[in-house]
Amino acid sequence: MTDPIASDTLFEAPPLAEQERMVEAVLFASAAPVTIGELHARLPHGCDAPAALEQLAKRYDGRGVRLVKVGDAWAIRTAADLAFLMTRETVETRKLSRAAIETLAIVAYHQPATRAEIEEIRGVSVSKGTIEQLLDLDWIKLGQRRQTPGRPVTFVVTRAFMDHFGLASPRDLPGLKELRAAGLLESTPPPDELPAREDDDQTDDMFERAPPEEEH
Amino acid sequence: MTDPIASDTLFEAPPLAEQERMVEAVLFASAAPVTIGELHARLPHGCDAPAALEQLAKRYDGRGVRLVKVGDAWAIRTAADLAFLMTRETVETRKLSRAAIETLAIVAYHQPATRAEIEEIRGVSVSKGTIEQLLDLDWIKLGQRRQTPGRPVTFVVTRAFMDHFGLASPRDLPGLKELRAAGLLESTPPPDELPAREDDDQTDDMFERAPPEEEH
Amino acid sequence: MTEDFIEGPARDPDPDAVAARLAAEALIVDVDGFEGPLDVLLMLARTQKVDLRTISVLQLARQYLVFVERARELRLELAADYLVMAAWLAFLKSRLLLPPDPEEEGPSAEDLAAHLAFQLERLEGMRKAAARLMARDQLGRDVFARGEPEGLERSRKVVWTATLLDLMQGYARLRTRDDFRPFVMDRKDVFTMEAALERLRPLIGAVGEWTDLTAFLPDGWAGDPARRRSATASTFAATLELAKTGVLELHQTDTFGPIRIRGRA
């Protein structure tokens, strides 16, 4: 009766079910939570916003959306247990770069390996990004510092690395002789060049001073 | 059962009631219509989005918000009879010119339509600004080029257009049947000697070969 | 607005011609409000108060020509489109009035008139459809989307892969790379036969006495054993070459004894 226009045109408030519809539409379309006061201002004269809200809250009980109170205002929100539906991950598979594969291979065959050692074998400097990527992938991790001047950090492969490559232990990595036998070395270097790099010994060697196996 | 991870691994879809909740949450969360494909991508493996949508549509029948179909997508929208409550949300849009409205209608009813066809129907050249305005509103977009000399571009209406005008499909355009029955959507090449605009006259009607719907 | 303006005079009980003339006058006042000659024709057609399918194209042509005539009298500038249409309608009018010429090729006057009527009906149809479209409940005006969307995210996750084979091949590539370094000749410590020949040729003519070969080694090649070996070998080879051509003689007294040479001039 305080609003002459509303009471003139609508002498009676709409039924509660209709009020509930109205509250539902207003809350849905509103860009921010709506207070009881705002609801009363927007709904036809004589509406009982709290009662309509209560009915609406009951109706949404157990549904995919909920009526929630934000401060002194009300809003519709998706049910918290369904939050996982709101983010959708698309997985893209990419091949590791050659630099990353080589660095990983050096760590695997020579672990623990320092960055300087990796660079010496690759003949080029190793970018920080490559090391970081392998650390991110959880395929390498920091080993103990080398007890040499400068105490450089070393890298070792992880359990996740072995899981990914299906290795029971880094010892399972085939040596150069086996690689050659498998035809992975495209050509055979001159015989007298070979003894100088006793590759297989070398690779086996490193597992004698076994890298600390990580617990995962 | 409701644990998405468990159902994912067991390849067992959650019960339909739970799927309905999920669809409800996803549609509430998005302002834009969500395609069936997108729903399936978000819901756990094995869900039947159309069935869940059907149930959900029934549930919202007569409520303050509705489930509406927009092409191959679905959205939740407020009930039109409650528009009077929404004065605060109403977006003041620039009034479209008569040329823009007619051009839009021609594209909608004749799609895919070339610029020459629009001009032939209106009997006047279409200003660049008109097409641009409609493209800007995301109500029309480029369709496939017409396979006629000059390979003219065609225009088709968008999902946003259907969303804006509450059309579940282009077939729901008002008066479409009558226009077609009256032969007014057919391609009728002008006899020679008419001062008609050059056109390439393949106003095939759009529903034979529906324009590709875009992903959202 | 223009439409209202026309509807008024069109209700006049007077014959069509009067209505058309009045309508044409009304049109002229606001010619800018028209969207081309087809639009004007459609307005004029409405004054005939008949279904567009049964419209008199002949009468329409007259109405249009009156419209253009009046516009000229008022010195209003009409776009070329309007004048082209006027010329075409004048032509159509004359053909509609004359008996059909059996010699004449192409579409008949009736076909042309029928197509014009079709165009008008189609434009009218599109106008009505556009009006009905705009009268629908519109998003943001009559129906509303979620005001505070929570958003559906689509995140992209990149999975990096490598196989054990990649790893082994990578390692094998590294470990064998050094073995195949291209062979580079060490040229610093090599005195070539060409150089020795070049050195000996100008000298030998002046050598009349037997002189030890080692005296001909170039400066700086006698000290370091490797360099000395190389220079000695190439100088000896050069003397053999020169002996063959007969410019010098060689002499060695015993095995491993010093080799001496002299010119044969």
Side-chain angles (χ1 to χ4, degrees), chain A residues 28 64-65 78 85-86, chain B residues 20-36 38-39 42-43 49 52-53 56-57 60 66-68 73-77, chain C residues 145-146 149-152:
Chain A
F28 175 83
V65 292
T78 54
L85 294 169
M86 305 306 153
Chain B
E20 193 198 316
R21 282 186 78 222
M22 291 174 172
V23 167
E24 185 179 34
V26 169
L27 293 189
F28 259 87
S30 173
V34 181
T35 63
I36 301 275
E38 178 74 21
L39 280 173
R42 285 183 183 273
L43 266 49
L53 282 162
L56 193 65
Y60 278 97
R66 304 249 151 107
L67 194 58
V68 298
W74 292 80
I76 294 177
R77 299 285 178 255
Chain C
R146 180 86 186 267
E150 289 165 70
L152 296 179

mmCIF file of all heavy atoms in Angstrom, chain A residues 28 64-65 78 85-86, chain B residues 20-36 38-39 42-43 49 52-53 56-57 60 66-68 73-77, chain C residues 145-146 149-152:
data_model
loop_
_atom_site.group_PDB
_atom_site.id
_atom_site.type_symbol
_atom_site.label_atom_id
_atom_site.label_comp_id
_atom_site.label_asym_id
_atom_site.label_seq_id
_atom_site.Cartn_x
_atom_site.Cartn_y
_atom_site.Cartn_z
ATOM 1 N N PHE A 28 18.837 -15.586 -11.895
ATOM 2 C CA PHE A 28 19.538 -16.181 -13.029
ATOM 3 C C PHE A 28 20.157 -15.110 -13.919
ATOM 4 O O PHE A 28 21.310 -15.213 -14.333
ATOM 5 C CB PHE A 28 18.551 -17.024 -13.849
ATOM 6 C CG PHE A 28 19.137 -17.594 -15.111
ATOM 7 C CD1 PHE A 28 19.870 -18.768 -15.091
ATOM 8 C CD2 PHE A 28 18.948 -16.961 -16.331
ATOM 9 C CE1 PHE A 28 20.403 -19.300 -16.254
ATOM 10 C CE2 PHE A 28 19.477 -17.482 -17.500
ATOM 11 C CZ PHE A 28 20.213 -18.651 -17.456
ATOM 12 N N GLY A 64 21.631 -29.796 -9.903
ATOM 13 C CA GLY A 64 22.949 -29.412 -10.419
ATOM 14 C C GLY A 64 23.320 -27.984 -10.057
ATOM 15 O O GLY A 64 24.481 -27.596 -10.178
ATOM 16 N N VAL A 65 22.335 -27.203 -9.655
ATOM 17 C CA VAL A 65 22.622 -25.835 -9.210
ATOM 18 C C VAL A 65 22.030 -25.631 -7.819
ATOM 19 O O VAL A 65 21.143 -26.370 -7.402
ATOM 20 C CB VAL A 65 22.047 -24.769 -10.186
ATOM 21 C CG1 VAL A 65 22.776 -24.795 -11.516
ATOM 22 C CG2 VAL A 65 20.562 -24.936 -10.391
ATOM 23 N N THR A 78 26.448 -23.242 -9.545
ATOM 24 C CA THR A 78 26.474 -24.669 -9.849
ATOM 25 C C THR A 78 26.927 -25.432 -8.601
ATOM 26 O O THR A 78 27.693 -24.913 -7.796
ATOM 27 C CB THR A 78 27.432 -24.988 -11.015
ATOM 28 O OG1 THR A 78 28.705 -24.445 -10.706
ATOM 29 C CG2 THR A 78 26.936 -24.382 -12.304
ATOM 30 N N LEU A 85 33.153 -30.645 -13.978
ATOM 31 C CA LEU A 85 32.596 -30.560 -15.332
ATOM 32 C C LEU A 85 32.927 -29.234 -16.010
ATOM 33 O O LEU A 85 32.814 -29.100 -17.221
ATOM 34 C CB LEU A 85 31.064 -30.685 -15.286
ATOM 35 C CG LEU A 85 30.482 -32.012 -14.828
ATOM 36 C CD1 LEU A 85 28.995 -31.856 -14.584
ATOM 37 C CD2 LEU A 85 30.743 -33.086 -15.870
ATOM 38 N N MET A 86 33.292 -28.260 -15.203
ATOM 39 C CA MET A 86 33.465 -26.904 -15.723
ATOM 40 C C MET A 86 34.801 -26.719 -16.414
ATOM 41 O O MET A 86 34.969 -25.837 -17.224
ATOM 42 C CB MET A 86 33.336 -25.869 -14.608
ATOM 43 C CG MET A 86 32.043 -25.983 -13.828
ATOM 44 S SD MET A 86 30.609 -25.948 -14.901
ATOM 45 C CE MET A 86 29.447 -26.870 -13.931
ATOM 46 N N GLU B 20 21.418 -35.712 -15.598
ATOM 47 C CA GLU B 20 20.565 -34.528 -15.715
ATOM 48 C C GLU B 20 21.124 -33.385 -14.870
ATOM 49 O O GLU B 20 21.184 -32.243 -15.317
ATOM 50 C CB GLU B 20 19.152 -34.907 -15.254
ATOM 51 C CG GLU B 20 18.097 -33.878 -15.597
ATOM 52 C CD GLU B 20 16.832 -34.065 -14.772
ATOM 53 O OE1 GLU B 20 16.377 -35.211 -14.613
ATOM 54 O OE2 GLU B 20 16.316 -33.047 -14.287
ATOM 55 N N ARG B 21 21.560 -33.711 -13.654
ATOM 56 C CA ARG B 21 22.186 -32.704 -12.784
ATOM 57 C C ARG B 21 23.414 -32.103 -13.474
ATOM 58 O O ARG B 21 23.671 -30.910 -13.396
ATOM 59 C CB ARG B 21 22.705 -33.354 -11.495
ATOM 60 C CG ARG B 21 21.713 -33.661 -10.437
ATOM 61 C CD ARG B 21 22.492 -34.146 -9.209
ATOM 62 N NE ARG B 21 23.087 -33.036 -8.473
ATOM 63 C CZ ARG B 21 24.318 -33.032 -7.961
ATOM 64 N NH1 ARG B 21 25.096 -34.085 -8.103
ATOM 65 N NH2 ARG B 21 24.776 -31.984 -7.306
ATOM 66 N N MET B 22 24.183 -32.977 -14.102
ATOM 67 C CA MET B 22 25.431 -32.541 -14.728
ATOM 68 C C MET B 22 25.143 -31.591 -15.897
ATOM 69 O O MET B 22 25.768 -30.540 -16.024
ATOM 70 C CB MET B 22 26.220 -33.752 -15.226
ATOM 71 C CG MET B 22 26.770 -34.601 -14.097
ATOM 72 S SD MET B 22 27.549 -36.098 -14.739
ATOM 73 C CE MET B 22 28.295 -36.721 -13.229
ATOM 74 N N VAL B 23 24.181 -31.991 -16.706
ATOM 75 C CA VAL B 23 23.805 -31.151 -17.841
ATOM 76 C C VAL B 23 23.288 -29.799 -17.321
ATOM 77 O O VAL B 23 23.622 -28.740 -17.843
ATOM 78 C CB VAL B 23 22.737 -31.861 -18.700
ATOM 79 C CG1 VAL B 23 22.106 -30.901 -19.693
ATOM 80 C CG2 VAL B 23 23.354 -33.042 -19.425
ATOM 81 N N GLU B 24 22.502 -29.867 -16.277
ATOM 82 C CA GLU B 24 21.951 -28.655 -15.669
ATOM 83 C C GLU B 24 23.083 -27.719 -15.228
ATOM 84 O O GLU B 24 23.071 -26.527 -15.534
ATOM 85 C CB GLU B 24 21.103 -29.058 -14.457
ATOM 86 C CG GLU B 24 20.355 -27.932 -13.780
ATOM 87 C CD GLU B 24 19.529 -28.454 -12.602
ATOM 88 O OE1 GLU B 24 19.966 -29.406 -11.919
ATOM 89 O OE2 GLU B 24 18.444 -27.903 -12.356
ATOM 90 N N ALA B 25 24.081 -28.279 -14.554
ATOM 91 C CA ALA B 25 25.189 -27.457 -14.059
ATOM 92 C C ALA B 25 25.963 -26.828 -15.212
ATOM 93 O O ALA B 25 26.288 -25.642 -15.183
ATOM 94 C CB ALA B 25 26.121 -28.310 -13.193
ATOM 95 N N VAL B 26 26.237 -27.621 -16.232
ATOM 96 C CA VAL B 26 27.020 -27.110 -17.359
ATOM 97 C C VAL B 26 26.253 -25.995 -18.077
ATOM 98 O O VAL B 26 26.813 -24.944 -18.386
ATOM 99 C CB VAL B 26 27.395 -28.247 -18.344
ATOM 100 C CG1 VAL B 26 27.978 -27.684 -19.632
ATOM 101 C CG2 VAL B 26 28.390 -29.211 -17.692
ATOM 102 N N LEU B 27 24.972 -26.213 -18.306
ATOM 103 C CA LEU B 27 24.194 -25.196 -19.019
ATOM 104 C C LEU B 27 24.041 -23.923 -18.180
ATOM 105 O O LEU B 27 24.063 -22.819 -18.723
ATOM 106 C CB LEU B 27 22.825 -25.736 -19.420
ATOM 107 C CG LEU B 27 22.804 -26.855 -20.463
ATOM 108 C CD1 LEU B 27 21.393 -27.134 -20.920
ATOM 109 C CD2 LEU B 27 23.673 -26.512 -21.657
ATOM 110 N N PHE B 28 23.892 -24.065 -16.875
ATOM 111 C CA PHE B 28 23.782 -22.884 -16.009
ATOM 112 C C PHE B 28 25.083 -22.094 -16.016
ATOM 113 O O PHE B 28 25.082 -20.874 -15.911
ATOM 114 C CB PHE B 28 23.459 -23.299 -14.563
ATOM 115 C CG PHE B 28 22.015 -23.120 -14.197
ATOM 116 C CD1 PHE B 28 21.097 -24.131 -14.446
ATOM 117 C CD2 PHE B 28 21.556 -21.939 -13.612
ATOM 118 C CE1 PHE B 28 19.759 -23.976 -14.112
ATOM 119 C CE2 PHE B 28 20.217 -21.775 -13.284
ATOM 120 C CZ PHE B 28 19.314 -22.795 -13.529
ATOM 121 N N ALA B 29 26.195 -22.818 -16.108
ATOM 122 C CA ALA B 29 27.496 -22.150 -15.994
ATOM 123 C C ALA B 29 27.829 -21.314 -17.219
ATOM 124 O O ALA B 29 28.618 -20.383 -17.154
ATOM 125 C CB ALA B 29 28.585 -23.186 -15.760
ATOM 126 N N SER B 30 27.224 -21.682 -18.343
ATOM 127 C CA SER B 30 27.604 -21.024 -19.594
ATOM 128 C C SER B 30 26.559 -20.019 -20.041
ATOM 129 O O SER B 30 25.365 -20.282 -19.985
ATOM 130 C CB SER B 30 27.787 -22.097 -20.678
ATOM 131 O OG SER B 30 27.993 -21.487 -21.924
ATOM 132 N N ALA B 31 27.016 -18.869 -20.506
ATOM 133 C CA ALA B 31 26.083 -17.880 -21.037
ATOM 134 C C ALA B 31 25.718 -18.223 -22.479
ATOM 135 O O ALA B 31 24.630 -17.912 -22.946
ATOM 136 C CB ALA B 31 26.696 -16.484 -20.974
ATOM 137 N N ALA B 32 26.616 -18.894 -23.158
ATOM 138 C CA ALA B 32 26.384 -19.249 -24.561
ATOM 139 C C ALA B 32 25.804 -20.657 -24.633
ATOM 140 O O ALA B 32 26.021 -21.465 -23.732
ATOM 141 C CB ALA B 32 27.699 -19.186 -25.338
ATOM 142 N N PRO B 33 25.064 -20.943 -25.702
ATOM 143 C CA PRO B 33 24.543 -22.302 -25.851
ATOM 144 C C PRO B 33 25.682 -23.317 -25.908
ATOM 145 O O PRO B 33 26.763 -23.016 -26.389
ATOM 146 C CB PRO B 33 23.798 -22.242 -27.193
ATOM 147 C CG PRO B 33 23.500 -20.800 -27.413
ATOM 148 C CD PRO B 33 24.630 -20.056 -26.796
ATOM 149 N N VAL B 34 25.420 -24.501 -25.382
ATOM 150 C CA VAL B 34 26.423 -25.560 -25.342
ATOM 151 C C VAL B 34 25.967 -26.682 -26.283
ATOM 152 O O VAL B 34 24.822 -27.128 -26.196
ATOM 153 C CB VAL B 34 26.594 -26.109 -23.907
ATOM 154 C CG1 VAL B 34 27.672 -27.191 -23.872
ATOM 155 C CG2 VAL B 34 26.942 -24.983 -22.937
ATOM 156 N N THR B 35 26.845 -27.096 -27.159
ATOM 157 C CA THR B 35 26.459 -28.135 -28.129
ATOM 158 C C THR B 35 26.401 -29.510 -27.459
ATOM 159 O O THR B 35 27.034 -29.737 -26.427
ATOM 160 C CB THR B 35 27.467 -28.226 -29.290
ATOM 161 O OG1 THR B 35 28.726 -28.612 -28.749
ATOM 162 C CG2 THR B 35 27.606 -26.907 -30.026
ATOM 163 N N ILE B 36 25.674 -30.402 -28.118
ATOM 164 C CA ILE B 36 25.604 -31.788 -27.636
ATOM 165 C C ILE B 36 27.013 -32.388 -27.588
ATOM 166 O O ILE B 36 27.367 -33.086 -26.652
ATOM 167 C CB ILE B 36 24.718 -32.635 -28.587
ATOM 168 C CG1 ILE B 36 23.302 -32.052 -28.671
ATOM 169 C CG2 ILE B 36 24.704 -34.096 -28.186
ATOM 170 C CD1 ILE B 36 22.369 -32.503 -27.601
ATOM 171 N N GLU B 38 29.842 -30.852 -27.141
ATOM 172 C CA GLU B 38 30.577 -30.296 -26.000
ATOM 173 C C GLU B 38 30.094 -30.957 -24.697
ATOM 174 O O GLU B 38 30.894 -31.255 -23.810
ATOM 175 C CB GLU B 38 30.350 -28.780 -25.959
ATOM 176 C CG GLU B 38 31.008 -28.040 -24.811
ATOM 177 C CD GLU B 38 32.513 -27.899 -24.960
ATOM 178 O OE1 GLU B 38 33.003 -28.004 -26.095
ATOM 179 O OE2 GLU B 38 33.181 -27.703 -23.930
ATOM 180 N N LEU B 39 28.781 -31.181 -24.597
ATOM 181 C CA LEU B 39 28.244 -31.844 -23.400
ATOM 182 C C LEU B 39 28.844 -33.238 -23.252
ATOM 183 O O LEU B 39 29.295 -33.618 -22.173
ATOM 184 C CB LEU B 39 26.718 -31.941 -23.480
ATOM 185 C CG LEU B 39 25.931 -30.687 -23.108
ATOM 186 C CD1 LEU B 39 24.451 -30.883 -23.395
ATOM 187 C CD2 LEU B 39 26.145 -30.316 -21.649
ATOM 188 N N ARG B 42 32.278 -33.208 -21.977
ATOM 189 C CA ARG B 42 32.452 -32.841 -20.567
ATOM 190 C C ARG B 42 31.910 -33.891 -19.615
ATOM 191 O O ARG B 42 32.440 -34.085 -18.517
ATOM 192 C CB ARG B 42 31.760 -31.507 -20.273
ATOM 193 C CG ARG B 42 32.540 -30.350 -20.835
ATOM 194 C CD ARG B 42 31.925 -29.010 -20.492
ATOM 195 N NE ARG B 42 32.698 -27.977 -21.135
ATOM 196 C CZ ARG B 42 33.787 -27.419 -20.603
ATOM 197 N NH1 ARG B 42 34.180 -27.772 -19.415
ATOM 198 N NH2 ARG B 42 34.455 -26.516 -21.261
ATOM 199 N N LEU B 43 30.822 -34.537 -20.009
ATOM 200 C CA LEU B 43 30.209 -35.519 -19.129
ATOM 201 C C LEU B 43 31.019 -36.801 -19.119
ATOM 202 O O LEU B 43 31.768 -37.073 -20.047
ATOM 203 C CB LEU B 43 28.773 -35.802 -19.605
ATOM 204 C CG LEU B 43 27.673 -34.976 -18.926
ATOM 205 C CD1 LEU B 43 27.972 -33.498 -18.905
ATOM 206 C CD2 LEU B 43 26.327 -35.219 -19.592
ATOM 207 N N ALA B 49 23.465 -37.411 -23.406
ATOM 208 C CA ALA B 49 23.084 -36.003 -23.228
ATOM 209 C C ALA B 49 21.663 -35.712 -23.732
ATOM 210 O O ALA B 49 20.897 -35.039 -23.031
ATOM 211 C CB ALA B 49 24.107 -35.093 -23.903
ATOM 212 N N ALA B 52 19.199 -36.805 -21.120
ATOM 213 C CA ALA B 52 19.277 -35.953 -19.929
ATOM 214 C C ALA B 52 18.636 -34.600 -20.216
ATOM 215 O O ALA B 52 17.933 -34.041 -19.365
ATOM 216 C CB ALA B 52 20.734 -35.788 -19.507
ATOM 217 N N LEU B 53 18.866 -34.092 -21.409
ATOM 218 C CA LEU B 53 18.297 -32.783 -21.787
ATOM 219 C C LEU B 53 16.764 -32.851 -21.828
ATOM 220 O O LEU B 53 16.084 -31.915 -21.399
ATOM 221 C CB LEU B 53 18.837 -32.357 -23.159
ATOM 222 C CG LEU B 53 20.256 -31.793 -23.157
ATOM 223 C CD1 LEU B 53 20.842 -31.811 -24.557
ATOM 224 C CD2 LEU B 53 20.264 -30.364 -22.606
ATOM 225 N N LEU B 56 15.529 -32.740 -18.387
ATOM 226 C CA LEU B 56 15.763 -31.417 -17.816
ATOM 227 C C LEU B 56 14.752 -30.410 -18.364
ATOM 228 O O LEU B 56 14.229 -29.565 -17.628
ATOM 229 C CB LEU B 56 17.193 -30.975 -18.124
ATOM 230 C CG LEU B 56 17.698 -29.762 -17.342
ATOM 231 C CD1 LEU B 56 17.776 -30.083 -15.850
ATOM 232 C CD2 LEU B 56 19.069 -29.329 -17.845
ATOM 233 N N ALA B 57 14.467 -30.519 -19.660
ATOM 234 C CA ALA B 57 13.513 -29.601 -20.288
ATOM 235 C C ALA B 57 12.152 -29.736 -19.622
ATOM 236 O O ALA B 57 11.463 -28.745 -19.349
ATOM 237 C CB ALA B 57 13.417 -29.888 -21.787
ATOM 238 N N TYR B 60 12.056 -28.042 -16.223
ATOM 239 C CA TYR B 60 12.005 -26.578 -16.228
ATOM 240 C C TYR B 60 10.765 -26.018 -16.910
ATOM 241 O O TYR B 60 10.601 -24.811 -17.002
ATOM 242 C CB TYR B 60 13.282 -26.000 -16.843
ATOM 243 C CG TYR B 60 14.399 -25.957 -15.834
ATOM 244 C CD1 TYR B 60 15.360 -26.961 -15.768
ATOM 245 C CD2 TYR B 60 14.452 -24.937 -14.890
ATOM 246 C CE1 TYR B 60 16.354 -26.944 -14.812
ATOM 247 C CE2 TYR B 60 15.441 -24.906 -13.929
ATOM 248 C CZ TYR B 60 16.393 -25.912 -13.897
ATOM 249 O OH TYR B 60 17.358 -25.874 -12.943
ATOM 250 N N ARG B 66 14.038 -21.416 -18.700
ATOM 251 C CA ARG B 66 13.657 -22.501 -19.604
ATOM 252 C C ARG B 66 14.891 -23.103 -20.242
ATOM 253 O O ARG B 66 15.898 -22.419 -20.401
ATOM 254 C CB ARG B 66 12.833 -21.932 -20.774
ATOM 255 C CG ARG B 66 11.632 -21.167 -20.392
ATOM 256 C CD ARG B 66 10.389 -21.927 -20.794
ATOM 257 N NE ARG B 66 9.327 -21.577 -19.877
ATOM 258 C CZ ARG B 66 8.306 -20.792 -20.205
ATOM 259 N NH1 ARG B 66 8.209 -20.306 -21.423
ATOM 260 N NH2 ARG B 66 7.392 -20.517 -19.320
ATOM 261 N N LEU B 67 14.724 -24.318 -20.673
ATOM 262 C CA LEU B 67 15.754 -24.951 -21.473
ATOM 263 C C LEU B 67 15.376 -24.685 -22.928
ATOM 264 O O LEU B 67 14.265 -25.008 -23.339
ATOM 265 C CB LEU B 67 15.739 -26.450 -21.185
ATOM 266 C CG LEU B 67 16.932 -27.245 -21.664
ATOM 267 C CD1 LEU B 67 18.206 -26.701 -21.053
ATOM 268 C CD2 LEU B 67 16.780 -28.714 -21.282
ATOM 269 N N VAL B 68 16.255 -24.076 -23.678
ATOM 270 C CA VAL B 68 15.930 -23.802 -25.084
ATOM 271 C C VAL B 68 16.957 -24.436 -26.006
ATOM 272 O O VAL B 68 18.139 -24.547 -25.679
ATOM 273 C CB VAL B 68 15.829 -22.281 -25.387
ATOM 274 C CG1 VAL B 68 14.722 -21.631 -24.577
ATOM 275 C CG2 VAL B 68 17.146 -21.584 -25.155
ATOM 276 N N ALA B 73 22.654 -26.974 -30.227
ATOM 277 C CA ALA B 73 23.124 -26.600 -28.894
ATOM 278 C C ALA B 73 21.927 -26.296 -27.989
ATOM 279 O O ALA B 73 20.801 -26.133 -28.458
ATOM 280 C CB ALA B 73 24.041 -25.378 -28.994
ATOM 281 N N TRP B 74 22.193 -26.228 -26.707
ATOM 282 C CA TRP B 74 21.149 -25.948 -25.722
ATOM 283 C C TRP B 74 21.602 -24.855 -24.773
ATOM 284 O O TRP B 74 22.782 -24.715 -24.492
ATOM 285 C CB TRP B 74 20.829 -27.226 -24.932
ATOM 286 C CG TRP B 74 20.175 -28.266 -25.772
ATOM 287 C CD1 TRP B 74 20.803 -29.123 -26.633
ATOM 288 C CD2 TRP B 74 18.776 -28.536 -25.886
ATOM 289 N NE1 TRP B 74 19.880 -29.911 -27.264
ATOM 290 C CE2 TRP B 74 18.619 -29.583 -26.826
ATOM 291 C CE3 TRP B 74 17.637 -28.005 -25.280
ATOM 292 C CZ2 TRP B 74 17.381 -30.106 -27.175
ATOM 293 C CZ3 TRP B 74 16.400 -28.531 -25.621
ATOM 294 C CH2 TRP B 74 16.275 -29.563 -26.560
ATOM 295 N N ALA B 75 20.616 -24.116 -24.273
ATOM 296 C CA ALA B 75 20.939 -23.030 -23.347
ATOM 297 C C ALA B 75 19.792 -22.869 -22.361
ATOM 298 O O ALA B 75 18.671 -23.322 -22.615
ATOM 299 C CB ALA B 75 21.153 -21.731 -24.112
ATOM 300 N N ILE B 76 20.091 -22.242 -21.243
ATOM 301 C CA ILE B 76 19.037 -21.891 -20.295
ATOM 302 C C ILE B 76 18.791 -20.397 -20.429
ATOM 303 O O ILE B 76 19.736 -19.600 -20.473
ATOM 304 C CB ILE B 76 19.421 -22.289 -18.855
ATOM 305 C CG1 ILE B 76 19.499 -23.812 -18.772
ATOM 306 C CG2 ILE B 76 18.389 -21.751 -17.864
ATOM 307 C CD1 ILE B 76 19.928 -24.348 -17.429
ATOM 308 N N ARG B 77 17.537 -20.036 -20.569
ATOM 309 C CA ARG B 77 17.151 -18.642 -20.773
ATOM 310 C C ARG B 77 15.961 -18.325 -19.888
ATOM 311 O O ARG B 77 15.159 -19.222 -19.585
ATOM 312 C CB ARG B 77 16.754 -18.421 -22.249
ATOM 313 C CG ARG B 77 17.868 -18.694 -23.254
ATOM 314 C CD ARG B 77 18.879 -17.569 -23.254
ATOM 315 N NE ARG B 77 19.986 -17.789 -24.167
ATOM 316 C CZ ARG B 77 21.211 -18.131 -23.775
ATOM 317 N NH1 ARG B 77 21.479 -18.317 -22.507
ATOM 318 N NH2 ARG B 77 22.181 -18.268 -24.650
ATOM 319 N N ALA C 145 20.135 -14.400 -20.780
ATOM 320 C CA ALA C 145 21.085 -15.476 -20.506
ATOM 321 C C ALA C 145 21.563 -15.319 -19.064
ATOM 322 O O ALA C 145 21.240 -14.336 -18.403
ATOM 323 C CB ALA C 145 22.267 -15.395 -21.464
ATOM 324 N N ARG C 146 22.312 -16.258 -18.602
ATOM 325 C CA ARG C 146 22.852 -16.195 -17.249
ATOM 326 C C ARG C 146 23.665 -14.919 -17.101
ATOM 327 O O ARG C 146 24.570 -14.657 -17.900
ATOM 328 C CB ARG C 146 23.731 -17.415 -16.977
ATOM 329 C CG ARG C 146 24.358 -17.461 -15.613
ATOM 330 C CD ARG C 146 23.439 -18.087 -14.592
ATOM 331 N NE ARG C 146 23.976 -17.999 -13.245
ATOM 332 C CZ ARG C 146 24.705 -18.953 -12.665
ATOM 333 N NH1 ARG C 146 24.963 -20.047 -13.312
ATOM 334 N NH2 ARG C 146 25.150 -18.791 -11.439
ATOM 335 N N PRO C 149 27.753 -15.773 -15.625
ATOM 336 C CA PRO C 149 28.156 -17.135 -16.001
ATOM 337 C C PRO C 149 29.391 -17.577 -15.237
ATOM 338 O O PRO C 149 30.261 -16.763 -14.935
ATOM 339 C CB PRO C 149 28.442 -17.024 -17.504
ATOM 340 C CG PRO C 149 28.631 -15.585 -17.767
ATOM 341 C CD PRO C 149 27.849 -14.839 -16.740
ATOM 342 N N GLU C 150 29.415 -18.855 -14.908
ATOM 343 C CA GLU C 150 30.570 -19.352 -14.166
ATOM 344 C C GLU C 150 31.649 -19.825 -15.115
ATOM 345 O O GLU C 150 32.784 -20.033 -14.726
ATOM 346 C CB GLU C 150 30.123 -20.468 -13.211
ATOM 347 C CG GLU C 150 29.305 -19.888 -12.059
ATOM 348 C CD GLU C 150 28.530 -20.946 -11.300
ATOM 349 O OE1 GLU C 150 29.171 -21.734 -10.601
ATOM 350 O OE2 GLU C 150 27.299 -20.975 -11.396
ATOM 351 N N GLY C 151 31.250 -19.957 -16.371
ATOM 352 C CA GLY C 151 32.273 -20.230 -17.379
ATOM 353 C C GLY C 151 32.643 -21.681 -17.495
ATOM 354 O O GLY C 151 32.744 -22.398 -16.517
ATOM 355 N N LEU C 152 32.807 -22.072 -18.727
ATOM 356 C CA LEU C 152 33.290 -23.415 -18.988
ATOM 357 C C LEU C 152 34.696 -23.254 -19.527
ATOM 358 O O LEU C 152 34.913 -22.580 -20.515
ATOM 359 C CB LEU C 152 32.406 -24.109 -20.024
ATOM 360 C CG LEU C 152 30.959 -24.346 -19.605
ATOM 361 C CD1 LEU C 152 30.206 -25.019 -20.732
ATOM 362 C CD2 LEU C 152 30.885 -25.188 -18.352
#
